[in-house]
Amino acid sequence: MLIDTQDNMIVEPQNDADQVAIIEPDQLDNDTEQPENATLATDYDAIKEVVLPPLLEEPKILEDVVDTWKIENWRGLNKKEHGPTFQAGGYPWRILLFPFGNNVDQSSVYLEHGFDDVSNIPDDWSCCVQFGLVMWNINDPSLFTHHTAHHRFTKEESDWGFTRFLELRRMFQQPWGSSGRPLVEDDAVNITAYVRVVEDETGVLWHNFNNYDSKRETGFVGLKNQGATCYLNSLLQSLYFTNAFRKAVYQIPTAEDESIANSAYALQRLFYQLQISNTAVSTNELTRSFGWDTRHIFEQQDVQELSRKLIERMEEKMKGTAAEDALPKMLSGKVKTYVSCINVDYESSRLEDFWDIQLNVRNIPNLQESFKDYIQQETLDGDNKYWASDEHKYQDARKGVIFTSFPEVLHLHLKRFEYDIQRDTMMKINDRFEFPETLDLAPYLEKDADRSESWTYKLHGVLVHSGDLNAGHYYAFLKPNKDGWFYKFDDDKVTRATMRETLEENFGGEYKSSLLPARSAYQKKAPIMRQMNAYMLVYIRESRLDQVLTPVDKDDCPPHLQRRLEEEAAAREAKRREREVQHLYLPVKVITEETFRNHPGTDLTNFDSNPAEDPAAPRFYKMKKQMTMEEAVATIAQDLNQDPKRVRLWIMVNRQNKTTRPDQPIMDLRPTVEETCSRAIANGREPVLRVWAEVAEEVDAQGNAIWPTYQSNANGVVVKNDLILIFLKHFDAEQQKLEGVGHIYVSKDKRIEELVPVICKKMGWGDKLSGGDQLAMWEEIKPSMIEALKAKQTLKVAELQDGDIICFQRTHERKSAGDMLGKIPRLGDKTAEEVKRWDRFEDAKSFYDFLCFKRDIRLDPHPRCDKPDLESFILTLSSKVTYDQLAERVGDRLGVEPTHLRFFTANAQTGQPRGAVRRGPNATLGQLLNPQNYTQQSLQTKPNSLFYEVLDMSLAELDTKKNIKVTWLSEGITKEEVFDVLVPKQGQVEDLIQALVKKAQMEDEQEGGRIRVYEVHNHKFFRELVPGYPVLSINDYVDVVAERVPEEELDAPERDFIKVIHFQNDPSRVHGMPFRFLLKEGEVFSETKKRLEKRTGIKGKAFEKIKFALVRRYQKPVTYINDDDVLYDEGNSVEDDTMLGLDHMDRTRTTRNGAEMFLK
């Protein structure tokens, strides 16, 4: 029972020994003035009953001690006083008093341990104490007040009590009650401490769990809660401590599929981490393998359903392995459903496997009685007699179920959540329901069952739900070993648990009145129910305990899994050590001549590129912050295979136009890397030193570099001349490629045209260009601003400076003699024959524009596209291209007509196709992928991803068609094939049928029989569509289903049909494919079932497990059908309000509360 605390009962610690006292409100309603003739404070036994009430935890009492401290000369006391020391439970105790209040206007009284030397107290020392403090008049013991509390005293929390024990004015100035005298009389008063030391059986009684270590205290670790996954954690811990189950999971071969999408591999990883980890383990990997996203993480799912699905999935994975039969042998039993005639020797029975048992709780006192209720017989007599074949006709009979065997590990699901017909909603049942530690299941077996071995079971696990239907918490009590303790597994926390905590506290029902705080007479009329109670029990057959709880060693885990986790642990440890020393290092990124030459984009490099993947990425170094720049240069030079004397570094700076260029060289190499970086970067930027490494082309006789500018002279003064540093890029129009060439030093006074010989030499074209060729030049100011350079301009007039970039292009246009710089080529200057494709760029400026807007678009074939040899590929395109240009590029790649291509955007969460993209004359690729004014749609669209579909017709023709997704049922309802069928918008359902026949390549109606088309909504039959129904009127929000009409239904009247649905347990949980079924007059249901088996195509055991019920719209619960019922009468009685329900497990992905509950 959770109780809020009161801030006004808290004392701030005065020193290391003074601790905070937090008192629970149910213990505070006792500051009352005692009436005349009340109990006297000197009657210690009577007072003890008042101040030391029964505790909710009911711990064993070790010792009760009463000690009184007579306080005199109250006003002359110090600010803080200690009472005399007394012994209780083998430890010293005393009262701590603040006579004038601990920063409040009330007296403050506490109980504290009385150790003289706190340093000698063991760090793990603790003592659990319930105590009461009574202040009473020294002359009249009928005048007293008291407070009571309980606390776990430790070395750190040495005192506990009451900051606001009693107001000072009430102690001295006011008469106490009607006595006419104050509580403190003659400046003296008595304070009596009632101390009860109780046993801390589990080691965590009243523990605050600060710095609690589950592994150290219990040897086990918990599971982290991702949000609302406590129900999953309790189930996983239960399965983990079923050691034989864990061993079987370890035997699943996963070496070839070490993918987190593999749920078996994820479960193996989780189990092994629980086995070896020292801290709580995350379930993120496992839930990702289930296919869950954030939506599923924060929704509590049905535990029984999850348990079944998880065990079924593991059973599937074990097929063909050494553990193939492990789970059925361990977890599956057999139950017989029978109808036995009373007066003749005739019995009809069916034997089924079960993996768990659902037992009633409401109005049933205990587990044994619930088992009796489960196998209780029903007598069929009178009008309800049983049809016992043609030989015996109708007979009195007994109907029921009986177990023929139980599994080694028995899972019992208690039906704590049931539908309340009065409230028309699901409700939680908190009734008291007892279950034993030892359970004998022999009475619930049939007489002929094998009893050679005892059917006694021992309790292994109790899974608990605390709360109500809409909100609550799950945890588990489990017994990991055959002998020993139960442990409480509450998410990431594991503690020892007593048998009372395991059993009594989880039976449910009312709290004992003696454990509750005082309540008014009106409140006492309403019982307080325990909100925490067991919803699932795990029992293990006593004779198989050693087999089920067999020890699981490290060697039982697959070796490949151990290696992988050890590698991951080593990597985490390496990262941890790296983080520890990370503050000593500084990242340094270096642009070199080589990286610049490989750079195909704007600026000098992309600083975010990875050097391991991109040769144009800057080289990355981790250098100690205290390393000098001289040492840094030496390190970089060694990596460049250069003499350090020939290398100097230029600081890269961010310009206002958002580019990053070299600013000036680092000439003083004495400062440290950290000092140089702090001077270079702006405030708030990531501390990364970014530089360009220049290698000198000339050296003097001593091997020292001769720099064109910023050269140091003999006096150490750096001389800057009029030369500026220019970087060159070349655009190759033939190759459609931009690349770095290198750098040059040029005087500011030189004209642009004077750069031509220098560039020719750099490019290896000779001293001058060949006849008819010219150079076009642009300055790359920033990626979106490329300006042409005029031939006669000087660099100074062009405003070029250190670090600027000039891009040049070789052209073939003739100019007048002596004019070496060509004009900018334009598409308009070309003849019609010379005009290139739209996706080819004739000049550098248009190519730069492409670089600004280029996107790598991944194109995947649409899943429904049935054409062979369609591949996924990536195209680099400008976001400015139109729909038709996109279709042209994709068509060229696939070798298909562009007009026959349709594109779809992708869902950002699932990666699956969304709706088709509308073709617009002016719509660009950027607009298709990022629709404007549709914020939500933009968020849902996956960037840079499209699906394509190759059509059998052009888009123009497609606009005249309606696309209908049709589910074709070829084998009853068990086999579903989905086809996308195109039908003329003016067509009818008969046109839809013809298109489906052609698409599915099947016999038409004349050869194969009439085809029925009907609509399904929410897994329910909505309506049948007649052949003349217009396809435009088909609702887009229903499922369209088609099937061959069974021969017996061809000419049957409409009134003889009943709609059929599938559901699991509750008719609201529908699933599967609905259909119509023909009823026959006078046919008993045992014969109807044979036709149903043929009609549905569900065969064998799967059909035998189905229960059949009549589902009426306004009636709950459903009416289950007996074999001798005649369904024809029921079906016609209420017409459309009655449906036939097939109650069986949904083995597909089911939607619950809007969220998918499934395992991949």
Side-chain angles (χ1 to χ4, degrees):
M1 183 175 181
L2 299 178
I3 304 179
D4 296 330
T5 58
Q6 290 187 353
D7 293 339
N8 63 356
M9 300 306 295
I10 298 177
V11 55
E12 295 297 331
Q14 300 300 304
N15 51 48
D16 290 342
D18 294 339
Q19 298 298 320
V20 176
I22 304 176
I23 306 306
E24 300 183 358
D26 65 327
Q27 300 156 337
L28 299 181
D29 189 19
N30 44 33
D31 184 10
T32 57
E33 299 180 4
Q34 303 302 315
E36 294 183 7
N37 302 320
T39 305
L40 300 180
T42 51
D43 188 350
Y44 298 122
D45 290 337
I47 295 295
K48 184 166 71 172
E49 295 297 320
V50 176
V51 299
L52 300 180
L55 291 165
L56 193 65
E57 297 84 0
E58 301 181 28
K60 179 182 176 182
I61 298 172
L62 299 179
E63 186 179 7
D64 284 349
V65 174
V66 179
D67 185 81
T68 300
W69 175 23
K70 183 177 180 181
I71 304 173
E72 298 177 319
N73 189 24
W74 183 287
R75 290 182 173 85
L77 295 176
N78 295 320
K79 180 181 178 182
K80 177 179 176 182
E81 295 283 353
H82 291 96
T85 300
F86 59 94
Q87 294 288 318
Y91 302 116
W93 304 94
R94 63 189 178 188
I95 295 173
L96 170 63
L97 173 67
F98 290 81
F100 310 106
N102 187 7
N103 298 320
V104 294
D105 59 353
Q106 302 187 30
S107 60
S108 304
V109 190
Y110 310 90
L111 178 71
E112 71 171 359
H113 65 64
F115 291 103
D116 294 328
D117 188 355
V118 177
S119 62
N120 291 332
I121 304 176
D123 290 337
D124 59 352
W125 176 82
S126 65
C127 184
C128 294
V129 176
Q130 181 187 16
F131 64 95
L133 298 175
V134 181
M135 181 182 291
W136 50 287
N137 188 289
I138 59 173
N139 299 315
D140 185 355
S142 67
L143 307 180
F144 65 88
T145 186
H146 71 275
H147 288 299
T148 182
H150 62 257
H151 182 60
R152 180 187 187 87
F153 288 87
T154 63
K155 183 177 181 179
E156 292 77 24
E157 294 185 349
S158 59
D159 59 64
W160 202 255
F162 312 95
T163 302
R164 300 177 182 272
F165 190 88
L166 186 62
E167 293 177 86
L168 295 172
R169 61 182 178 82
R170 294 183 62 197
M171 293 172 59
F172 297 97
Q173 300 171 8
Q174 296 180 358
W176 191 259
S178 59
S179 65
R181 58 201 310 174
L183 190 64
V184 179
E185 201 167 31
D186 300 329
D187 217 22
V189 75
N190 288 329
I191 298 181
T192 300
Y194 292 79
V195 177
R196 171 174 288 170
V197 180
V198 300
E199 182 180 13
D200 180 14
E201 191 177 356
T202 62
V204 292
L205 180 63
W206 306 326
H207 204 299
N208 61 18
F209 293 103
N210 292 335
N211 302 317
Y212 179 77
D213 188 330
S214 294
K215 185 77 169 186
R216 184 184 65 222
E217 300 296 335
T218 66
F220 308 111
V221 296
L223 292 167
K224 297 176 183 177
N225 191 331
Q226 296 185 51
T229 56
C230 48
Y231 70 96
L232 174 65
N233 291 349
S234 59
L235 175 64
L236 290 173
Q237 291 282 19
S238 173
L239 295 174
Y240 171 79
F241 285 109
T242 307
N243 294 359
F245 180 87
R246 195 193 330 168
K247 270 194 171 183
V249 170
Y250 281 159
Q251 290 178 326
I252 300 174
T254 56
E256 301 301 321
D257 186 12
E258 292 186 283
S259 164
I260 295 303
N262 180 355
S263 55
Y265 176 66
L267 189 59
Q268 286 179 345
R269 286 176 61 93
L270 179 74
F271 280 177
Y272 187 62
Q273 289 177 83
L274 282 173
Q275 201 167 313
I276 65 170
S277 178
N278 291 321
T279 57
V281 177
S282 171
T283 57
N284 285 340
E285 291 178 351
L286 184 67
T287 54
R288 284 205 305 271
S289 76
F290 292 169
W292 293 2
D293 55 26
T294 306
R295 175 184 57 178
H296 303 99
I297 295 302
F298 285 92
E299 286 183 350
Q300 290 189 351
Q301 311 288 354
D302 184 281
V303 178
Q304 181 186 10
E305 185 179 354
L306 176 62
S307 174
R308 285 183 179 178
K309 283 181 173 286
L310 182 57
I311 292 172
E312 284 176 7
R313 180 52 47 86
M314 293 305 109
E315 186 188 13
E316 290 174 12
K317 299 281 187 180
M318 291 176 189
K319 288 180 179 177
T321 71
E324 182 169 3
D325 299 323
L327 295 192
K329 178 183 175 185
M330 186 193 321
L331 299 169
S332 177
K334 293 189 180 295
V335 64
K336 183 172 78 172
T337 304
Y338 65 89
V339 180
S340 179
C341 293
I342 298 173
N343 302 316
V344 297
D345 185 16
Y346 182 86
E347 180 179 283
S348 172
S349 64
R350 183 175 70 209
L351 199 63
E352 294 179 295
D353 294 332
F354 71 87
W355 292 78
D356 51 47
I357 304 172
Q358 293 189 66
L359 296 173
N360 289 322
V361 171
R362 187 188 293 273
N363 299 325
I364 297 178
N366 56 49
L367 187 61
Q368 294 88 333
E369 290 299 320
S370 190
F371 264 105
K372 291 178 183 178
D373 174 71
Y374 193 89
I375 64 172
Q376 184 178 10
Q377 293 180 335
E378 176 189 357
T379 301
L380 306 177
D381 56 10
D383 294 338
N384 198 28
K385 285 186 177 182
Y386 175 67
W387 176 263
S389 76
D390 294 335
E391 179 183 353
H392 300 293
K393 309 301 181 184
Y394 285 100
Q395 294 286 333
D396 292 342
R398 293 187 180 92
K399 177 182 178 183
V401 297
I402 191 72
F403 295 99
T404 62
S405 68
F406 291 102
E408 295 174 349
V409 180
L410 179 61
H411 287 177
L412 303 177
H413 291 273
L414 308 184
K415 296 167 77 170
R416 287 283 181 187
F417 302 96
E418 284 191 352
Y419 175 78
D420 189 316
I421 193 169
Q422 301 296 330
R423 296 180 175 87
D424 191 26
T425 186
M426 295 293 289
M427 297 289 292
K428 184 183 178 186
I429 301 168
N430 290 314
D431 294 0
R432 183 176 178 85
F433 183 86
E434 299 179 5
F435 46 89
E437 186 179 2
T438 302
L439 176 65
D440 182 9
L441 293 177
Y444 318 112
L445 289 166
E446 69 172 350
K447 294 179 181 178
D448 299 334
D450 180 7
R451 299 173 189 266
S452 59
E453 195 176 325
S454 171
W455 289 101
T456 302
Y457 280 71
K458 300 292 288 186
L459 183 65
H460 173 68
V462 181
L463 277 64
V464 180
H465 176 266
S466 174
D468 58 20
L469 178 72
N470 300 313
H473 181 57
Y474 292 81
Y475 49 90
F477 292 88
L478 300 167
K479 191 176 183 180
N481 301 307
K482 178 180 178 181
D483 302 308
W485 287 84
F486 271 89
Y487 291 85
K488 182 180 179 181
F489 292 83
D490 188 355
D491 286 338
D492 56 355
K493 189 163 68 247
V494 185
T495 58
R496 281 192 295 182
T498 63
M499 288 308 299
R500 185 189 59 79
E501 290 177 289
T502 305
L503 298 174
E504 174 64 33
E505 288 193 1
N506 299 312
F507 288 161
E510 299 180 27
Y511 280 101
K512 292 180 182 179
S513 58
S514 61
L515 301 177
L516 296 173
R519 298 192 296 157
S520 67
Y522 176 77
Q523 290 175 321
K524 288 180 180 178
K525 292 180 181 180
I528 296 182
M529 304 294 287
R530 290 183 185 269
Q531 293 294 306
M532 70 286 288
N533 36 57
Y535 71 92
M536 178 176 168
L537 304 173
V538 182
Y539 281 90
I540 300 177
R541 195 172 182 181
E542 191 171 27
S543 58
R544 306 290 177 88
L545 274 170
D546 292 331
Q547 295 171 240
V548 175
L549 299 182
T550 177
V552 183
D553 301 318
K554 189 176 180 180
D555 295 338
D556 291 314
C557 180
H560 71 91
L561 180 60
Q562 293 188 44
R563 287 195 300 271
R564 171 63 71 88
L565 289 173
E566 287 168 1
E567 290 169 1
E568 292 174 3
R572 285 195 299 272
E573 179 61 21
K575 283 186 177 180
R576 186 191 64 79
R577 290 197 299 266
E578 184 179 341
R579 284 195 300 270
E580 287 180 352
V581 298
Q582 189 172 9
H583 66 285
L584 301 175
Y585 291 84
L586 194 72
V588 178
K589 296 184 177 182
V590 182
I591 303 172
T592 67
E593 289 290 314
E594 181 184 2
T595 63
F596 177 59
R597 289 194 189 99
N598 286 308
H599 183 53
T602 58
D603 235 325
L604 299 184
T605 190
N606 178 4
F607 281 103
D608 296 326
S609 295
N610 184 357
E613 301 171 356
D614 184 4
R619 300 200 179 191
F620 181 81
Y621 302 89
K622 239 184 191 180
M623 296 186 178
K624 285 188 175 181
K625 293 180 178 179
Q626 299 309 311
M627 176 187 288
T628 64
M629 286 306 301
E630 185 176 5
E631 294 172 316
V633 169
T635 301
I636 296 170
Q638 182 180 4
D639 190 41
L640 297 177
N641 199 24
Q642 295 286 346
D643 186 342
K645 295 179 181 179
R646 300 186 60 177
V647 176
R648 73 172 173 180
L649 305 178
W650 287 63
I651 293 289
M652 302 291 294
V653 298
N654 290 331
R655 294 184 176 179
Q656 290 183 347
N657 61 9
K658 304 298 173 78
T659 60
T660 306
R661 304 288 173 83
D663 181 51
Q664 61 182 18
I666 303 171
M667 303 305 295
D668 186 0
L669 301 182
R670 292 171 297 177
T672 64
V673 171
E674 183 179 27
E675 291 169 343
T676 305
C677 182
S678 63
R679 294 172 189 160
I681 64 176
N683 292 334
R685 282 201 46 233
E686 182 184 1
V688 179
L689 181 60
R690 299 182 296 180
V691 296
W692 170 61
E694 179 185 13
V695 179
E697 296 179 0
E698 299 180 43
V699 294
D700 59 16
Q702 288 76 36
N704 295 315
I706 300 175
W707 303 110
T709 186
Y710 289 102
Q711 179 69 51
S712 298
N713 58 23
N715 299 326
V717 177
V718 177
V719 178
K720 172 74 170 81
N721 52 32
D722 69 339
L723 297 180
I724 58 174
L725 171 68
I726 299 294
F727 288 88
L728 299 175
K729 289 184 180 180
H730 174 228
F731 174 63
D732 188 332
E734 294 296 325
Q735 300 292 327
Q736 293 288 287
K737 185 179 179 182
L738 181 71
E739 59 187 358
V741 174
H743 69 280
I744 57 175
Y745 284 95
V746 189
S747 171
K748 288 183 179 181
D749 297 327
K750 285 202 172 185
R751 295 192 302 273
I752 298 297
E753 62 185 358
E754 294 181 71
L755 299 180
V756 174
V758 180
I759 292 173
C760 289
K761 187 175 180 181
K762 271 278 186 186
M763 295 296 296
W765 294 338
D767 294 334
K768 61 180 181 178
L769 295 171
S770 58
D773 288 353
Q774 296 116 22
L775 285 184
M777 296 190 201
W778 297 263
E779 180 191 358
E780 180 189 319
I781 300 173
K782 60 180 181 179
S784 58
M785 185 181 291
I786 312 298
E787 291 190 355
L789 294 173
K790 298 177 181 178
K792 302 299 182 181
Q793 269 187 332
T794 65
L795 273 67
K796 186 174 183 179
V797 172
E799 298 183 349
L800 292 171
Q801 63 184 42
D802 281 330
D804 282 349
I805 299 172
I806 291 178
C807 177
F808 62 89
Q809 174 186 350
R810 189 169 184 174
T811 66
H812 304 285
E813 184 177 355
R814 291 187 175 276
K815 290 291 294 180
S816 59
D819 194 345
M820 301 286 290
L821 189 68
K823 76 171 184 178
I824 311 304
R826 303 181 185 278
L827 288 178
D829 298 336
K830 301 290 182 180
T831 63
E833 292 78 12
E834 291 177 306
V835 173
K836 299 292 184 182
R837 286 169 47 95
W838 58 266
D839 59 347
R840 184 173 178 83
F841 308 99
E842 295 302 326
D843 61 37
K845 185 169 184 176
S846 59
F847 189 76
Y848 269 102
D849 181 74
F850 164 73
L851 291 179
C852 286
F853 294 96
K854 78 168 184 175
R855 299 172 75 160
D856 291 329
I857 308 298
R858 177 183 174 88
L859 290 117
D860 298 287
H862 197 288
R864 73 183 180 204
C865 203
D866 54 3
K867 290 182 170 53
D869 303 327
L870 293 180
E871 59 178 354
S872 298
F873 54 92
I874 294 176
L875 287 181
T876 301
L877 299 167
S878 170
S879 58
K880 290 183 175 181
V881 301
T882 65
Y883 187 104
D884 290 342
Q885 291 171 336
L886 170 65
E888 183 182 340
R889 282 293 301 272
V890 176
D892 283 352
R893 176 65 183 257
L894 298 174
V896 300
E897 288 291 332
T899 56
H900 286 52
L901 285 171
R902 181 162 59 164
F903 299 101
F904 305 79
T905 55
N907 188 293
Q909 290 186 341
T910 64
Q912 295 301 308
R914 301 182 68 216
V917 174
R918 292 183 62 86
R919 174 178 174 267
N922 300 318
T924 65
L925 177 61
Q927 293 170 342
L928 299 182
L929 293 172
N930 301 99
Q932 295 179 353
N933 304 324
Y934 294 92
T935 307
Q936 189 63 30
Q937 184 177 348
S938 302
L939 292 174
Q940 295 174 354
T941 303
K942 188 176 181 180
N944 302 333
S945 181
L946 288 172
F947 285 88
Y948 67 87
E949 181 183 15
V950 181
L951 304 171
D952 296 327
M953 61 190 75
S954 69
L955 281 175
E957 185 180 354
L958 182 66
D959 287 340
T960 67
K961 309 277 186 178
K962 178 181 174 70
N963 183 68
I964 301 175
K965 184 175 290 187
V966 181
T967 302
W968 170 247
L969 305 178
S970 57
E971 299 176 10
I973 60 169
T974 58
K975 184 178 179 181
E976 300 178 11
E977 298 177 81
V978 180
F979 297 97
D980 284 294
V981 181
L982 290 171
V983 188
K985 291 182 178 179
Q986 304 305 317
Q988 300 174 336
V989 168
E990 58 186 350
D991 300 314
L992 170 64
I993 294 173
Q994 293 175 10
L996 174 65
V997 167
K998 182 179 179 182
K999 183 84 172 182
Q1001 298 180 349
M1002 59 185 182
E1003 296 178 340
D1004 60 19
E1005 289 188 290
Q1006 291 183 349
E1007 297 174 350
R1010 187 157 68 86
I1011 293 175
R1012 170 191 292 147
V1013 179
Y1014 61 95
E1015 292 178 332
V1016 170
H1017 179 64
N1018 193 26
H1019 298 286
K1020 293 181 180 178
F1021 190 103
F1022 182 51
R1023 63 179 173 180
E1024 183 173 345
L1025 302 178
V1026 296
Y1029 190 82
V1031 295
L1032 270 180
S1033 298
I1034 296 177
N1035 197 320
D1036 292 334
Y1037 300 99
V1038 298
D1039 297 320
V1040 179
V1041 181
E1043 64 174 355
R1044 298 278 183 193
V1045 179
E1047 188 174 347
E1048 67 176 3
E1049 299 180 9
L1050 285 173
D1051 299 317
E1054 280 293 313
R1055 67 176 183 274
D1056 290 349
F1057 285 91
I1058 189 171
K1059 296 176 182 177
V1060 185
I1061 62 169
H1062 307 260
F1063 68 92
Q1064 181 176 336
N1065 299 331
D1066 188 306
S1068 63
R1069 296 176 60 182
V1070 290
H1071 63 87
M1073 180 61 68
F1075 59 97
R1076 298 179 75 200
F1077 181 68
L1078 178 66
L1079 301 179
K1080 293 187 176 181
E1081 188 171 1
E1083 181 183 63
V1084 294
F1085 193 67
S1086 57
E1087 295 299 318
T1088 305
K1089 284 198 295 186
K1090 296 177 182 177
R1091 292 195 300 113
L1092 272 169
E1093 184 173 7
K1094 180 180 178 182
R1095 176 72 172 86
T1096 60
I1098 305 173
K1099 300 175 182 177
K1101 288 186 177 181
F1103 188 80
E1104 291 176 4
K1105 292 180 179 180
I1106 298 175
K1107 294 186 291 185
F1108 301 89
L1110 283 173
V1111 181
R1112 293 182 172 89
R1113 187 176 299 176
Y1114 301 109
Q1115 177 183 329
K1116 291 182 180 181
V1118 298
T1119 305
Y1120 284 94
I1121 304 170
N1122 299 313
D1123 283 355
D1124 54 350
D1125 290 339
V1126 178
L1127 194 58
Y1128 183 85
D1129 301 332
E1130 298 286 353
N1132 268 323
S1133 61
V1134 201
E1135 297 182 351
D1136 288 342
D1137 282 345
T1138 301
M1139 294 180 288
L1140 173 61
L1142 277 57
D1143 183 359
H1144 58 108
M1145 181 175 288
D1146 179 10
R1147 298 187 181 277
T1148 62
R1149 298 180 177 183
T1150 61
T1151 302
R1152 300 178 63 251
N1153 299 325
E1156 288 184 342
M1157 166 69 178
F1158 62 90
L1159 307 183
K1160 279 188 177 178

